[in-house]
Structure formats: C-alpha cells, structure tokens
Amino acid sequence: MRNKLLASTLFLAALSPFTAVMAQTADPAVLTPERVFANPSLAGPVARGVSLSPDGELVAFLRSREDDVDVLDLWAAPTGDGEPFKLIDARALVPDAGELSEAEKARRERMRISQRGVVEYSWDQQGRYILAPLEGDIFLAEREGGAVRRLTETPADEIDAKVSPRGNFVSFVRDQDLVVLDLNGNRETAVTTDGEGLITWATAEFIAQEEMDRDTGYWWSPDERHIALQRTDESTVDIIPRLDITGGGASVIEQRYPRAGRPNAVVELYVHDRETGQRTKVDLGANADIYLARVDWSADGRTLYVQRQSRDQKTLDLLSVDPATGASRVILTRTSDAWVPLTNDFKPLDDGNFIWSSEETGWRHLYLYSRDGRRIRAITSGDWPVKGLNGVNQRTGEVFFTASMRDGRELPIEQQLFRASLRRTMTPVAVTPGGGWWGASMNRTGTAFVGNYTDLNTPTQSGLYRADGTFVRWIEENRLDADHPIYPYVSRRGEVTFGTLESHGETLVWQMTTPPGFDPTKQYPVVMQVYGGPSGGGVRRGWQGATNQLLTEAGYIVSGSTIAARETGRRRSNRPFI
C-alpha cells in the first residue's frame, strides 16, 4: 500500500529549512504553504470526473466549492446554449457530514479519493438520471427539471451505488449485502442476506481494489434481468498488525492483509436472476487460487465475459460464460514470461464482436475479435503503445484511443486522442493537437468527447468537442488571467526543461524545474520525484502543481524521470503482488 503520509512528511521536511524565511517575506508573489492549502484552490475552476450524457446533450462534472476545496458539488452544463449550473449542492443536502464507515473509508483510500461531498456519480444508459452517493446515502437527480430526491437515509453507508442500464432500478451495497431499489415503487429487495463478518457480497476485495484497478464487485446485464456479483471469503487471509498513521497520531490495527505467497481471499462469482430470484455459481475453474480480474456483459446480455488471472500473473484467460447455467469455456489466453497486464480496453460491440488489447508484439495494441474469441484483425499496430481505449462509433466504424505519439514515434511527455478504424488497419489520425497532455471522455455513441488539456503554460482546461476534434464550447476554460487564484505567483514559477539519458539499455526522459533566480554555476539541493513502480511516470508536458513551486521557492531543483522504451511486461498499470 502506498504510504501517502510518508511522502507528505518527506515533502514538509524538505521545506522546513526555508519555510520560516518564506513566511516572513513581504513579497506577495512568493508562494507559501499556508496559501497552497487555503481557499480558493490555486488550481482554479477545474472540472473533475467529467462525463457526457449517453445522447451527448448534457455534461456532468464535479467542482470544488469556493468556500471549501475539500468538498465537491455536482454540476452540469448543456452541450448547446446555456451556462453550467449546480445540480447537487452537497452541503445543502447534507449540512453536517458524519463519519464514514471503515469499509467506505478504505474503499475511497484505494480509489485515491480524499475529498468529501459528491465524490462520484453515474448515468443510466438512457441518460434520464444521474445517481450520486453523498456522505453514505444516495441521491438521484432527474435530468428533466433537475429535481433531486433522496433514496436512502439509514445509519449504514450505501456504497458502490449504480443506476441499472435502463434506469428502472438503483443498486448498492449495504452492510456487506447487495440491495436493489425499484425506482417505480421505491421498494427495496435484498439480493443477498448472509453478508457479515468475513463474508462480503458485491464488493471488490483488497487486492482487486488496491492492485488491479477494479473498484466494483457487481455488474448489471444490459436488459436488467441479471446481476453478476462476487462473493468474498476472507477467513483464509492472515491477520497482520498495521500501523495506521493520521494527523492526530498513530495506532496499531489488526488487519486481514494478503501477503505475497500467503493465502488470498477466496473469490467466487455468481449470476443472480432478478425475475426468478435464482442465483447460479459461475465455473471459474478447478483452481480457486486465482484473481477475478474483469467482468463484462456482451451487448445483448447473452454472454458474460470474465477475465481470470493466474496467481503468478503470467496467464490471463478470457472466459465465455452462459449466465443461465454458469458454464464457462476459455476463448482467449494471454501469457507472458514476466506478467500479463490488465487493462480496461475490453469493449463488447452490438454485432457480437469485441475489442480487446494485447501486448504480444511488445507494444499494447487494439484488436477486433469475434464472439468466440477468433481474431478478425488488428485495429492498431506499430512501435508505440496504445494508452487506453476511449470510445467507439459503431455506425461509422471509428475507434478512438489515447497514445503518446507524434509522426509515428513514441513521445511519452505528450498525449493525444487518435482515431483508427474497426474495418481496416490504418495509420492513426490525430484528433487533438500535440504540444501538451490530453485526456478524453467520450459519449457512448462515439460522436463527441470531453477533452481535458494542459501544457506548461496552461492549467487544466475542459472543453466539449465533436468526434473530429472540432471545438464546441468550454466546460471549464480555467483561463490564466489576473482573476485566476495562481496569477499572483506565476511570475516566480520555475523554468521547466526536458531531456533524455540512457540507463541499463533504457532511455529515460527527465524533467527539471529550477528555482527563481537560478544560477547554473551554483550547486542546489535536488528533490527527485519518482514513483518506484513499473508505470505511472510523472514526466509530462503539463501544468506544474503548486507543490513543485513550493519546493522551488525553498531553493530546490525539482526533478523526475520516466521510461521511454518498449511497453513490455516491465511496465504496466498494475504491478506484481503475488
């Protein structure tokens, strides 16, 4: 588990020789720790968790309150004319936020959520509702008219809430059991009732949350008849004393922690038939010591696709499951002598085919498969990796993905959105321009996307774009002008330079930010910011955060590096943890 407190402690220790001098300065342009953690946020009006409604006509996003940067409200903006408006005011609905349950605290920590208020939300696939868990209860916002109603008000936390695909039900986990609420009659039905102690239903286990980037433990079928859900038994997991360090002190907690080489939690997968109430166990194979990596439904709901990973992570099987019987068969297998990476690139299509990525060539690329796992064609190819599948327009056959590439070569400090084709292997076409770092969230039909952009001189901006990259409107322009919170301190921002060096056969891209008044003939202390895992390099041509500026104000050079080499098993989004 990543020790964020240790990182914060080292950061403050690095500042300590200089903070007293900085605090006494009369120059208002000198950034201080007090201002970094005050309101309003120095990041400006940044839209978080931006998503388009299924029809592409409304954009929803999270925004920090001006009076408290640690509380998020839910906002919305029409994609045509009209200004953004607040859809859910967290403090108006829940003025006094109570204590979250330990399970929800742990879940949020593993999702790297540190704020309160509306921290997540979801659309139904019809675009009629937005569901927002808020401080342990659930609220439903109706798109037409904007009415917000409270669905639950209980002492327990309702977590991992979802709107069913057709918008008829809301589901959530309460006290380790899965519950379904019928929106038409406001009637609750308990899908499971024996979740207690070391048995948990419909919740991702520790390994899945912390290491495998899977934060849910249940999945609705497109027709709303079936729910695939996992059952977790932690009785086999060792109890380990863990030091829990907070701002108020430290305490020792006895935690069931799956150490490498010791027993993991036992995870099983079931399919619940909502109409009959029958629960069917899925055949995950004779070996129970495996990881349930990913679960997806086919577009018609007739097939459940399960990604099963071996304990040593060198084998990843794709299972095709009959939801009526639980019978399964392996239709695809990925292997590696190092480990097979997990992605979120699996995409079922309406015609029964599906898209999935593979690193079998040494580079992560997208491939089209038939329902039975037969490869039809490569969608992308070349000496560069796909970063992620962003969307598909099934009518036009366009496939959208992000990559760090320019002129056919890898450029790891920049990222753009590209377009390829389902129907043929082609040279990808850049949808967004180069020069910075782009993230994109597309609507379900692949006709529009929300683009988040930043470069060295541009704080993160969010805009709405058509699929061809045509700008439609700002969601949060976050213009760096005299009214921006960071503007008084911009004149003392350090200069950022990039370069490369060779180390043990790898090309490393480095980044260096120098202090104000930097003199290249002098020696300076250096803070090297690096994440020691096999991915997640922090070197990018993007806006530098306020913490970097605090360090440069304190007289440090701030540096970092990332690998610019073949995307093999040594680099991936989840590291080995057997």
Side-chain angles (χ1 to χ4, degrees), residues 58-86:
L58 194 70
V59 179
F61 59 95
L62 304 175
R63 178 193 282 178
S64 293
R65 298 177 65 89
E66 291 189 0
D67 60 347
D68 191 342
V69 298
D70 292 325
V71 177
L72 300 175
D73 294 322
L74 179 63
W75 285 69
T79 56
D81 296 332
E83 294 301 312
F85 58 93
K86 188 181 293 187

mmCIF file of all heavy atoms in Angstrom, residues 58-86:
data_model
loop_
_atom_site.group_PDB
_atom_site.id
_atom_site.type_symbol
_atom_site.label_atom_id
_atom_site.label_comp_id
_atom_site.label_asym_id
_atom_site.label_seq_id
_atom_site.Cartn_x
_atom_site.Cartn_y
_atom_site.Cartn_z
ATOM 1 N N LEU A 58 -25.769 16.673 -22.558
ATOM 2 C CA LEU A 58 -25.501 17.274 -21.258
ATOM 3 C C LEU A 58 -24.173 16.760 -20.739
ATOM 4 O O LEU A 58 -23.834 15.594 -20.924
ATOM 5 C CB LEU A 58 -26.625 16.931 -20.268
ATOM 6 C CG LEU A 58 -26.677 17.745 -18.968
ATOM 7 C CD1 LEU A 58 -27.112 19.177 -19.262
ATOM 8 C CD2 LEU A 58 -27.635 17.105 -17.974
ATOM 9 N N VAL A 59 -23.431 17.640 -20.109
ATOM 10 C CA VAL A 59 -22.154 17.281 -19.499
ATOM 11 C C VAL A 59 -22.288 17.396 -17.990
ATOM 12 O O VAL A 59 -22.786 18.403 -17.488
ATOM 13 C CB VAL A 59 -21.018 18.200 -19.983
ATOM 14 C CG1 VAL A 59 -19.704 17.825 -19.312
ATOM 15 C CG2 VAL A 59 -20.879 18.131 -21.480
ATOM 16 N N ALA A 60 -21.874 16.371 -17.274
ATOM 17 C CA ALA A 60 -21.850 16.418 -15.816
ATOM 18 C C ALA A 60 -20.396 16.432 -15.349
ATOM 19 O O ALA A 60 -19.526 15.847 -15.991
ATOM 20 C CB ALA A 60 -22.588 15.224 -15.224
ATOM 21 N N PHE A 61 -20.149 17.111 -14.243
ATOM 22 C CA PHE A 61 -18.789 17.166 -13.710
ATOM 23 C C PHE A 61 -18.819 17.574 -12.252
ATOM 24 O O PHE A 61 -19.827 18.099 -11.743
ATOM 25 C CB PHE A 61 -17.913 18.132 -14.517
ATOM 26 C CG PHE A 61 -18.412 19.555 -14.572
ATOM 27 C CD1 PHE A 61 -17.948 20.514 -13.683
ATOM 28 C CD2 PHE A 61 -19.340 19.944 -15.537
ATOM 29 C CE1 PHE A 61 -18.399 21.825 -13.737
ATOM 30 C CE2 PHE A 61 -19.798 21.254 -15.604
ATOM 31 C CZ PHE A 61 -19.323 22.195 -14.702
ATOM 32 N N LEU A 62 -17.709 17.322 -11.558
ATOM 33 C CA LEU A 62 -17.550 17.682 -10.157
ATOM 34 C C LEU A 62 -16.690 18.928 -10.054
ATOM 35 O O LEU A 62 -15.722 19.089 -10.790
ATOM 36 C CB LEU A 62 -16.906 16.530 -9.375
ATOM 37 C CG LEU A 62 -17.624 15.179 -9.445
ATOM 38 C CD1 LEU A 62 -16.804 14.113 -8.724
ATOM 39 C CD2 LEU A 62 -19.010 15.267 -8.860
ATOM 40 N N ARG A 63 -17.062 19.800 -9.116
ATOM 41 C CA ARG A 63 -16.303 21.039 -8.937
ATOM 42 C C ARG A 63 -16.170 21.318 -7.435
ATOM 43 O O ARG A 63 -17.129 21.194 -6.674
ATOM 44 C CB ARG A 63 -17.015 22.212 -9.612
ATOM 45 C CG ARG A 63 -16.303 23.544 -9.417
ATOM 46 C CD ARG A 63 -17.195 24.713 -9.821
ATOM 47 N NE ARG A 63 -17.259 24.891 -11.268
ATOM 48 C CZ ARG A 63 -18.009 25.831 -11.861
ATOM 49 N NH1 ARG A 63 -18.770 26.625 -11.127
ATOM 50 N NH2 ARG A 63 -18.002 25.947 -13.178
ATOM 51 N N SER A 64 -14.964 21.733 -7.021
ATOM 52 C CA SER A 64 -14.738 22.087 -5.617
ATOM 53 C C SER A 64 -15.517 23.346 -5.260
ATOM 54 O O SER A 64 -15.657 24.265 -6.073
ATOM 55 C CB SER A 64 -13.253 22.325 -5.349
ATOM 56 O OG SER A 64 -12.514 21.139 -5.470
ATOM 57 N N ARG A 65 -16.016 23.381 -4.038
ATOM 58 C CA ARG A 65 -16.701 24.585 -3.556
ATOM 59 C C ARG A 65 -15.689 25.707 -3.357
ATOM 60 O O ARG A 65 -14.547 25.469 -2.966
ATOM 61 C CB ARG A 65 -17.408 24.289 -2.238
ATOM 62 C CG ARG A 65 -18.483 23.220 -2.335
ATOM 63 C CD ARG A 65 -19.077 22.939 -0.969
ATOM 64 N NE ARG A 65 -19.781 24.100 -0.431
ATOM 65 C CZ ARG A 65 -21.067 24.367 -0.653
ATOM 66 N NH1 ARG A 65 -21.790 23.552 -1.411
ATOM 67 N NH2 ARG A 65 -21.640 25.430 -0.133
ATOM 68 N N GLU A 66 -16.113 26.928 -3.615
ATOM 69 C CA GLU A 66 -15.195 28.060 -3.441
ATOM 70 C C GLU A 66 -14.855 28.268 -1.976
ATOM 71 O O GLU A 66 -13.771 28.755 -1.647
ATOM 72 C CB GLU A 66 -15.816 29.323 -4.031
ATOM 73 C CG GLU A 66 -15.915 29.304 -5.556
ATOM 74 C CD GLU A 66 -16.337 30.645 -6.110
ATOM 75 O OE1 GLU A 66 -16.545 31.579 -5.296
ATOM 76 O OE2 GLU A 66 -16.451 30.771 -7.336
ATOM 77 N N ASP A 67 -15.782 27.909 -1.084
ATOM 78 C CA ASP A 67 -15.537 28.132 0.343
ATOM 79 C C ASP A 67 -14.862 26.949 1.024
ATOM 80 O O ASP A 67 -14.521 27.009 2.202
ATOM 81 C CB ASP A 67 -16.846 28.463 1.067
ATOM 82 C CG ASP A 67 -17.881 27.342 0.944
ATOM 83 O OD1 ASP A 67 -17.677 26.441 0.121
ATOM 84 O OD2 ASP A 67 -18.891 27.396 1.675
ATOM 85 N N ASP A 68 -14.685 25.827 0.278
ATOM 86 C CA ASP A 68 -14.043 24.662 0.864
ATOM 87 C C ASP A 68 -13.559 23.752 -0.264
ATOM 88 O O ASP A 68 -14.350 23.031 -0.874
ATOM 89 C CB ASP A 68 -15.017 23.901 1.778
ATOM 90 C CG ASP A 68 -14.317 22.834 2.614
ATOM 91 O OD1 ASP A 68 -13.190 22.446 2.264
ATOM 92 O OD2 ASP A 68 -14.900 22.387 3.618
ATOM 93 N N VAL A 69 -12.264 23.767 -0.533
ATOM 94 C CA VAL A 69 -11.721 22.990 -1.659
ATOM 95 C C VAL A 69 -11.835 21.493 -1.440
ATOM 96 O O VAL A 69 -11.699 20.715 -2.380
ATOM 97 C CB VAL A 69 -10.236 23.353 -1.909
ATOM 98 C CG1 VAL A 69 -10.096 24.807 -2.294
ATOM 99 C CG2 VAL A 69 -9.375 23.037 -0.678
ATOM 100 N N ASP A 70 -12.118 21.074 -0.195
ATOM 101 C CA ASP A 70 -12.188 19.646 0.107
ATOM 102 C C ASP A 70 -13.588 19.072 -0.043
ATOM 103 O O ASP A 70 -13.812 17.903 0.263
ATOM 104 C CB ASP A 70 -11.683 19.382 1.526
ATOM 105 C CG ASP A 70 -10.193 19.643 1.655
ATOM 106 O OD1 ASP A 70 -9.476 19.373 0.673
ATOM 107 O OD2 ASP A 70 -9.759 20.121 2.709
ATOM 108 N N VAL A 71 -14.541 19.877 -0.505
ATOM 109 C CA VAL A 71 -15.918 19.411 -0.705
ATOM 110 C C VAL A 71 -16.298 19.625 -2.167
ATOM 111 O O VAL A 71 -16.114 20.718 -2.711
ATOM 112 C CB VAL A 71 -16.908 20.150 0.214
ATOM 113 C CG1 VAL A 71 -18.340 19.683 -0.067
ATOM 114 C CG2 VAL A 71 -16.555 19.908 1.672
ATOM 115 N N LEU A 72 -16.847 18.576 -2.795
ATOM 116 C CA LEU A 72 -17.222 18.637 -4.204
ATOM 117 C C LEU A 72 -18.736 18.692 -4.370
ATOM 118 O O LEU A 72 -19.479 18.013 -3.654
ATOM 119 C CB LEU A 72 -16.689 17.410 -4.952
ATOM 120 C CG LEU A 72 -15.176 17.196 -4.967
ATOM 121 C CD1 LEU A 72 -14.839 15.872 -5.635
ATOM 122 C CD2 LEU A 72 -14.478 18.343 -5.674
ATOM 123 N N ASP A 73 -19.192 19.503 -5.319
ATOM 124 C CA ASP A 73 -20.584 19.536 -5.745
ATOM 125 C C ASP A 73 -20.681 18.959 -7.153
ATOM 126 O O ASP A 73 -19.694 18.927 -7.901
ATOM 127 C CB ASP A 73 -21.130 20.972 -5.761
ATOM 128 C CG ASP A 73 -21.209 21.590 -4.370
ATOM 129 O OD1 ASP A 73 -21.548 20.862 -3.424
ATOM 130 O OD2 ASP A 73 -20.924 22.802 -4.235
ATOM 131 N N LEU A 74 -21.893 18.519 -7.526
ATOM 132 C CA LEU A 74 -22.128 18.010 -8.871
ATOM 133 C C LEU A 74 -22.722 19.119 -9.728
ATOM 134 O O LEU A 74 -23.742 19.718 -9.368
ATOM 135 C CB LEU A 74 -23.073 16.808 -8.839
ATOM 136 C CG LEU A 74 -23.420 16.197 -10.204
ATOM 137 C CD1 LEU A 74 -22.171 15.632 -10.876
ATOM 138 C CD2 LEU A 74 -24.484 15.110 -10.054
ATOM 139 N N TRP A 75 -22.074 19.392 -10.861
ATOM 140 C CA TRP A 75 -22.513 20.417 -11.797
ATOM 141 C C TRP A 75 -22.893 19.770 -13.126
ATOM 142 O O TRP A 75 -22.520 18.639 -13.409
ATOM 143 C CB TRP A 75 -21.389 21.437 -12.032
ATOM 144 C CG TRP A 75 -21.182 22.384 -10.883
ATOM 145 C CD1 TRP A 75 -20.686 22.080 -9.649
ATOM 146 C CD2 TRP A 75 -21.461 23.775 -10.872
ATOM 147 N NE1 TRP A 75 -20.636 23.200 -8.870
ATOM 148 C CE2 TRP A 75 -21.101 24.264 -9.596
ATOM 149 C CE3 TRP A 75 -21.971 24.665 -11.818
ATOM 150 C CZ2 TRP A 75 -21.253 25.601 -9.242
ATOM 151 C CZ3 TRP A 75 -22.111 26.005 -11.474
ATOM 152 C CH2 TRP A 75 -21.758 26.455 -10.195
ATOM 153 N N ALA A 76 -23.628 20.532 -13.919
ATOM 154 C CA ALA A 76 -23.990 20.076 -15.258
ATOM 155 C C ALA A 76 -23.985 21.271 -16.192
ATOM 156 O O ALA A 76 -24.138 22.425 -15.766
ATOM 157 C CB ALA A 76 -25.362 19.402 -15.259
ATOM 158 N N ALA A 77 -23.799 20.994 -17.473
ATOM 159 C CA ALA A 77 -23.814 22.052 -18.492
ATOM 160 C C ALA A 77 -24.410 21.482 -19.766
ATOM 161 O O ALA A 77 -24.062 20.366 -20.169
ATOM 162 C CB ALA A 77 -22.407 22.577 -18.756
ATOM 163 N N PRO A 78 -25.316 22.219 -20.408
ATOM 164 C CA PRO A 78 -25.818 21.766 -21.710
ATOM 165 C C PRO A 78 -24.721 21.839 -22.744
ATOM 166 O O PRO A 78 -23.851 22.710 -22.692
ATOM 167 C CB PRO A 78 -26.957 22.746 -22.016
ATOM 168 C CG PRO A 78 -26.631 23.957 -21.207
ATOM 169 C CD PRO A 78 -25.921 23.487 -19.984
ATOM 170 N N THR A 79 -24.724 20.916 -23.683
ATOM 171 C CA THR A 79 -23.696 20.934 -24.716
ATOM 172 C C THR A 79 -23.986 21.976 -25.786
ATOM 173 O O THR A 79 -23.125 22.281 -26.605
ATOM 174 C CB THR A 79 -23.559 19.550 -25.370
ATOM 175 O OG1 THR A 79 -24.837 19.152 -25.889
ATOM 176 C CG2 THR A 79 -23.088 18.527 -24.357
ATOM 177 N N GLY A 80 -25.207 22.508 -25.776
ATOM 178 C CA GLY A 80 -25.545 23.604 -26.680
ATOM 179 C C GLY A 80 -25.488 24.926 -25.937
ATOM 180 O O GLY A 80 -24.527 25.210 -25.216
ATOM 181 N N ASP A 81 -26.505 25.741 -26.083
ATOM 182 C CA ASP A 81 -26.559 27.019 -25.388
ATOM 183 C C ASP A 81 -26.905 26.816 -23.917
ATOM 184 O O ASP A 81 -27.586 25.862 -23.536
ATOM 185 C CB ASP A 81 -27.609 27.930 -26.044
ATOM 186 C CG ASP A 81 -27.242 28.301 -27.477
ATOM 187 O OD1 ASP A 81 -26.025 28.340 -27.772
ATOM 188 O OD2 ASP A 81 -28.159 28.522 -28.288
ATOM 189 N N GLY A 82 -26.465 27.749 -23.102
ATOM 190 C CA GLY A 82 -26.770 27.683 -21.681
ATOM 191 C C GLY A 82 -25.515 27.590 -20.845
ATOM 192 O O GLY A 82 -24.498 27.041 -21.270
ATOM 193 N N GLU A 83 -25.596 28.123 -19.626
ATOM 194 C CA GLU A 83 -24.455 28.154 -18.728
ATOM 195 C C GLU A 83 -24.457 26.938 -17.801
ATOM 196 O O GLU A 83 -25.496 26.330 -17.544
ATOM 197 C CB GLU A 83 -24.493 29.431 -17.894
ATOM 198 C CG GLU A 83 -24.306 30.700 -18.713
ATOM 199 C CD GLU A 83 -22.984 30.700 -19.466
ATOM 200 O OE1 GLU A 83 -21.944 30.391 -18.839
ATOM 201 O OE2 GLU A 83 -22.999 30.977 -20.673
ATOM 202 N N PRO A 84 -23.284 26.562 -17.282
ATOM 203 C CA PRO A 84 -23.240 25.479 -16.295
ATOM 204 C C PRO A 84 -24.075 25.817 -15.064
ATOM 205 O O PRO A 84 -24.216 26.987 -14.687
ATOM 206 C CB PRO A 84 -21.748 25.403 -15.945
ATOM 207 C CG PRO A 84 -21.036 25.995 -17.112
ATOM 208 C CD PRO A 84 -21.940 27.067 -17.618
ATOM 209 N N PHE A 85 -24.654 24.798 -14.445
ATOM 210 C CA PHE A 85 -25.476 25.010 -13.258
ATOM 211 C C PHE A 85 -25.196 23.910 -12.252
ATOM 212 O O PHE A 85 -24.812 22.795 -12.613
ATOM 213 C CB PHE A 85 -26.967 25.041 -13.622
ATOM 214 C CG PHE A 85 -27.463 23.803 -14.314
ATOM 215 C CD1 PHE A 85 -28.031 22.745 -13.592
ATOM 216 C CD2 PHE A 85 -27.363 23.676 -15.698
ATOM 217 C CE1 PHE A 85 -28.483 21.612 -14.230
ATOM 218 C CE2 PHE A 85 -27.820 22.533 -16.342
ATOM 219 C CZ PHE A 85 -28.381 21.497 -15.605
ATOM 220 N N LYS A 86 -25.402 24.232 -10.976
ATOM 221 C CA LYS A 86 -25.166 23.265 -9.908
ATOM 222 C C LYS A 86 -26.367 22.326 -9.825
ATOM 223 O O LYS A 86 -27.494 22.757 -9.607
ATOM 224 C CB LYS A 86 -24.943 23.976 -8.585
ATOM 225 C CG LYS A 86 -24.491 23.057 -7.450
ATOM 226 C CD LYS A 86 -24.310 23.817 -6.147
ATOM 227 C CE LYS A 86 -23.148 24.792 -6.224
ATOM 228 N NZ LYS A 86 -22.871 25.408 -4.897
#
